[in-house]
Amino acid sequence: MSQTITYQVKNAVYANITNRCPCACSFCLRNNGATVFGSPDLWLEREPTPEELEESLETWDWTCYGELVFCGYGEPTERLDTLLAASAFMKERHPHVRIRVNTNGLGDLINGKRTAPLFAGKVDALSISLNTDDPEEYFRLCAPKFGPSSHAAMLKFARDAKEFVPDVAMTIVGPPVSDDAKIARARALCDSLGVRLRVRPYEG
Ligand code: SF4
């Protein structure tokens, strides 16, 4: 069986550890056949074991890469233990490598517990998909299985995470998906949470 567990995007190595996700976003790359930044097929026949993930991580020459990003066809916090174990492994073996998790921010709901403290010392950056400041629009766009209160849970996680992770960003997609007014509302929301807003370029 050959499947993509780790892959390269620009100067970073990305880890694809699960295809599970509690959301069904209308814009998800998994639905439209597009690949992540030209990455290979990220559908997994089965999830890699922690050992297989470490083995895959060790195939890269880390003197050439400064960042490991957990991001694939799924939500990385669906495999929180594996994510944290691999982050600890990297901190021990390749301490210069920055660890980032791209997440929908619903890890507390997924794992049924407060997760932010678990990232301390293992994860350097979080990129949380805010998508919109409007909870109703979020529910329409992302259809989280946890229901309409998911948006509030994501914001709570972001506020919590900034106590344990040095760089916490929330993301929305820029024009034409989000207009200036929407971006301004998202920025105000992020300011109130004490995290930064990153406006991602539209890639459609
Ligand atoms: S949270 Fe991410 S992986 Fe999950 S459905 Fe939405 S875009 Fe896709």
Side-chain angles (χ1 to χ4, degrees):
M1 180 184 68
S2 167
Q3 59 179 3
T4 301
I5 302 171
T6 54
Y7 58 102
Q8 179 187 350
V9 178
K10 298 177 186 163
N11 296 323
V13 174
Y14 279 50
N16 175 43
I17 60 175
T18 185
N19 289 152
R20 287 180 282 153
C21 183
C23 296
C25 300
S26 56
F27 49 82
C28 183
L29 292 174
R30 306 185 304 176
N31 300 335
N32 61 22
T35 58
V36 182
F37 305 118
S39 63
D41 180 2
L42 297 177
W43 289 112
L44 295 163
E45 288 182 30
R46 64 171 176 80
E47 292 182 342
T49 64
E51 294 74 26
E52 287 168 337
L53 175 56
E54 286 182 8
E55 201 175 292
S56 181
L57 289 169
E58 284 299 74
T59 62
W60 296 90
D61 177 0
W62 286 102
T63 61
C64 302
Y65 301 96
E67 190 173 44
L68 170 65
V69 183
F70 288 90
C71 174
Y73 268 17
E75 166 52 37
T77 62
E78 286 276 2
R79 298 195 68 198
L80 188 61
D81 290 348
T82 299
L83 184 164
L84 294 172
S87 300
F89 172 82
M90 289 296 293
K91 287 290 172 202
E92 189 183 322
R93 301 289 281 265
H94 310 287
H96 73 283
V97 175
R98 182 180 196 253
I99 309 289
R100 169 158 57 101
V101 180
N102 289 357
T103 176
N104 58 24
L106 302 182
D108 287 9
L109 296 177
I110 292 167
N111 292 281
K113 63 182 178 185
R114 184 182 178 215
T115 60
L118 304 174
F119 292 104
K122 298 190 178 78
V123 171
D124 303 295
L126 286 171
S127 181
I128 303 170
S129 302
L130 174 62
N131 294 316
T132 171
D133 63 300
D134 179 351
E136 285 179 19
E137 186 187 27
Y138 178 81
F139 187 60
R140 267 199 320 277
L141 280 175
C142 300
K145 73 177 186 185
F146 304 109
S149 62
S150 300
H151 191 264
M154 169 182 52
L155 300 185
K156 180 170 176 290
F157 170 74
R159 184 188 283 116
D160 201 14
K162 76 175 198 301
E163 306 299 328
F164 303 98
V165 176
D167 181 16
V168 179
M170 301 195 90
T171 65
I172 64 169
V173 177
V177 173
S178 306
D179 60 18
D180 288 349
K182 190 171 186 173
I183 292 170
R185 288 196 305 273
R187 197 175 303 285
L189 178 60
C190 288
D191 286 348
S192 74
L193 297 170
V195 303
R196 69 186 174 90
L197 177 72
R198 187 167 77 85
V199 181
R200 293 166 43 216
Y202 174 66
E203 285 164 2

